[in-house]
């Protein structure tokens, strides 16, 4: 049987009793080593080179670049998450060792989370429910909230990759006018109209959902100048990466009440200080990157879509078949 190894930096996030570990163990001998951060590169390499397949995920001990030149028994690196730059160096991607990730597995849950954010902001659920909890009961006219509907909404997408396309599938039945800026997309989903620049996207949209990947080109690309092109009560939805937009510029617009926003991600991954004023703004809905859970809380632990992608790829590897979602240098650089 093949030998599978996961080398964690500290405590492993891959539970030996969990459904994924059990399924992996049925295909090979699974070894989970913890406290790998205490190992030197030479010691880590000694462990890694004895494995046929190396499993990486959040919290993994970074793989030394020297493995690329001398992999030992390693024939495949199975990354159980999306991003891999934190623990797999570029030298490995450039080597003959194949690396795969979870591909489009999170697309469904992330798109659903963004859909929930868009509807919550569009319907002004936060201020509406706050007033009702406070004892008020009145229609929208008395509440003086803009509210709105997806039907006919000029909804712009900044980026239209796997998750953006899933988002398009969700919102299309509600009848918005869909505009897309994505210079890398050769084809767009039905009912989408391409625009040729970010300024054009923001100038023509009433709401913008950000789906671009984070790169040197996209970092900070949603600027104060672009936000100013949105109409009063315009909406910004971001479930991609917080650093894509100028957070200070967006917060300045939100503080005045001119725009509304739903943010699943922030520029700083650890969130806002407890006393930050943005927490109190009625025109801002924050979900701290956990609205995308794909697990029903009352169901026993089970294999998620990402787990199933990993297992399917491992079976392809064992059968000598082509791997899905193999990382190349371009995908590696865009993976965040």
């Amino acid at each position: 049987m093949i030998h599978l190894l996961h080398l964690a930096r500290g405590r492993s996030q891959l539970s030996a009793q969990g459904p994924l570990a059990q399924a992996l163990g049925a295909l090979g001998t699974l070894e989970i080593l913890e406290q790998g951060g205490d190992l030197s590169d030479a010691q880590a390499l000694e462990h890694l080179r004895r494995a046929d397949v190396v499993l990486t995920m959040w919290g993994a001990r970074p793989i030394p670049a020297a493995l690329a030149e001398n992999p030992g028994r390693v024939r495949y690196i199975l990354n159980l998450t999306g991003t891999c730059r934190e623990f797999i160096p570029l030298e490995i991607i450039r080597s003959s060792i194949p690396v795969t990730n979870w591909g489009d597995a999170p697309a469904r849950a992330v798109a659903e989370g963004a859909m929930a954010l868009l509807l919550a902001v569009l319907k002004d659920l936060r201020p509406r429910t706050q007033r009702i909890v406070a004892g008020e009961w009145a229609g929208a006219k008395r509440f003086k909230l803009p509210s709105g509907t997806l039907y006919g909404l000029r909804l712009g997408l900044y980026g239209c990759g796997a998750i953006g396309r899933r988002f398009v599938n969700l919102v299309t039945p509600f009848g918005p006018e869909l505009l897309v800026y994505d210079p890398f997309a050769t084809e767009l989903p039905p009912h989408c109209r391409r625009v040729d620049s970010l300024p054009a996207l923001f100038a023509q949209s009433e709401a913008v959902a950000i789906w671009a990947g984070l790169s040197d080109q996209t970092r900070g690309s949603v600027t104060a100048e672009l936000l100013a092109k949105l109409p009063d009560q315009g909406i910004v939805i971001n479930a991609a990466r917080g650093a894509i937009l100028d957070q200070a510029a967006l917060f300045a617009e939100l503080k005045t009440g001119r725009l509304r926003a739903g943010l699943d991600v922030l520029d700083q991954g650890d969130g806002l200080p407890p006393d930050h004023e943005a927490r109190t703004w009625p025109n801002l809905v924050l979900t701290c990157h956990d609205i995308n859970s794909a697990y029903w809380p009352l169901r026993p632990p089970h294999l998620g879509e990402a787990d199933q992608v990993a297992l399917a790829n491992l079976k392809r590897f064992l059968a000598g078949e082509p791997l899905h979602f193999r990382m190349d240098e371009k995908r590696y650089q865009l993976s965040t």
Side-chain angles (χ1 to χ4, degrees):
M1 296 182 72
I2 61 167
H3 179 47
L4 308 168
L5 171 66
H6 171 56
L7 182 58
R9 181 187 290 112
R11 292 288 302 275
S12 175
Q13 297 186 34
L14 179 60
S15 171
Q17 288 73 44
L20 177 58
Q22 296 297 313
L24 291 169
L27 299 174
T29 303
L30 174 62
E31 180 182 10
I32 300 175
L33 289 179
E34 298 186 322
Q35 306 306 323
D38 297 334
L39 301 177
S40 67
D41 279 1
Q43 292 171 321
L45 285 167
E46 185 177 350
H47 287 288
L48 292 166
R49 286 171 176 152
R50 292 201 294 261
D52 299 293
V53 178
V54 174
L55 308 173
T56 55
M57 62 185 300
W58 293 301
R61 199 269 190 207
I63 296 175
L67 188 72
E69 296 181 1
N70 178 12
R73 288 174 53 183
V74 177
R75 293 180 288 142
Y76 175 32
I77 296 178
L78 176 56
N79 184 37
L80 302 175
T81 62
T83 183
C84 61
R85 285 192 288 176
E86 295 179 23
F87 27 83
I88 302 176
L90 182 58
E91 289 85 350
I92 298 290
I93 304 299
R94 290 171 172 168
S95 75
S96 60
I97 306 172
V99 178
T100 61
N101 74 346
W102 64 12
D104 59 1
R108 184 193 315 275
V110 176
E112 286 179 359
M115 177 76 162
L117 274 176
L118 176 58
L119 286 171
V121 176
L122 186 63
K123 301 296 184 181
D124 291 294
L125 289 189
R126 181 176 181 181
R128 194 178 299 278
T129 55
Q130 284 176 336
R131 295 185 186 191
I132 292 173
V133 168
E136 296 185 48
W137 189 269
K141 291 183 179 180
R142 276 192 57 192
F143 281 166
K144 297 182 179 178
L145 298 173
S147 198
T149 175
L150 280 172
Y151 183 75
L153 180 74
R154 295 195 302 275
L155 176 57
L157 277 70
Y158 176 17
C160 197
I163 305 178
R165 289 172 180 271
R166 187 64 65 93
F167 179 75
V168 167
N169 291 341
L170 290 177
V171 301
T172 294
F174 293 87
E177 179 184 344
L178 295 168
L179 304 88
V180 175
Y181 172 69
D182 188 335
F184 301 103
T186 56
E187 295 182 2
L188 297 182
H191 312 295
C192 291
R193 175 167 63 87
R194 187 187 298 272
V195 295
D196 59 6
S197 69
L198 268 181
L201 182 75
F202 278 78
Q204 297 178 48
S205 299
E206 295 166 316
V208 172
I210 299 173
W211 292 117
L214 181 61
S215 66
D216 291 341
Q217 291 71 37
T218 62
R219 185 180 300 274
S221 56
V222 178
T223 61
E225 290 75 18
L226 290 178
L227 295 171
K229 294 180 181 295
L230 290 172
D232 290 352
Q233 302 303 323
I235 295 171
V236 176
I237 301 296
N238 190 6
R241 287 292 181 263
I244 293 175
L245 65 83
D246 182 337
Q247 186 168 295
L250 176 62
F251 278 14
E253 289 274 21
L254 295 175
K255 186 174 183 177
T256 68
R258 196 184 77 82
L259 295 182
R260 297 176 284 171
L263 305 178
D264 190 48
V265 289
L266 294 172
D267 191 9
Q268 301 298 323
D270 54 357
L272 297 172
D275 59 348
H276 197 290
E277 63 178 330
R279 293 176 180 270
T280 67
W281 295 339
N283 53 338
L284 172 61
V285 178
L286 295 168
T287 50
C288 65
H289 214 43
D290 67 355
I291 198 173
N292 303 325
S293 172
Y295 297 96
W296 184 250
L298 302 181
R299 186 183 302 174
H302 61 286
L303 294 173
E305 288 188 75
D307 301 334
Q308 294 174 33
V309 168
L311 288 170
N313 254 339
L314 182 57
K315 290 176 182 178
R316 291 187 189 95
F317 169 76
L318 293 174
E321 299 173 354
L323 300 172
H324 291 181
F325 309 117
R326 182 167 177 174
M327 298 293 290
D328 56 23
E329 188 167 344
K330 181 179 178 181
R331 286 193 65 219
Y332 178 87
Q333 299 291 3
L334 290 175
S335 176
T336 56

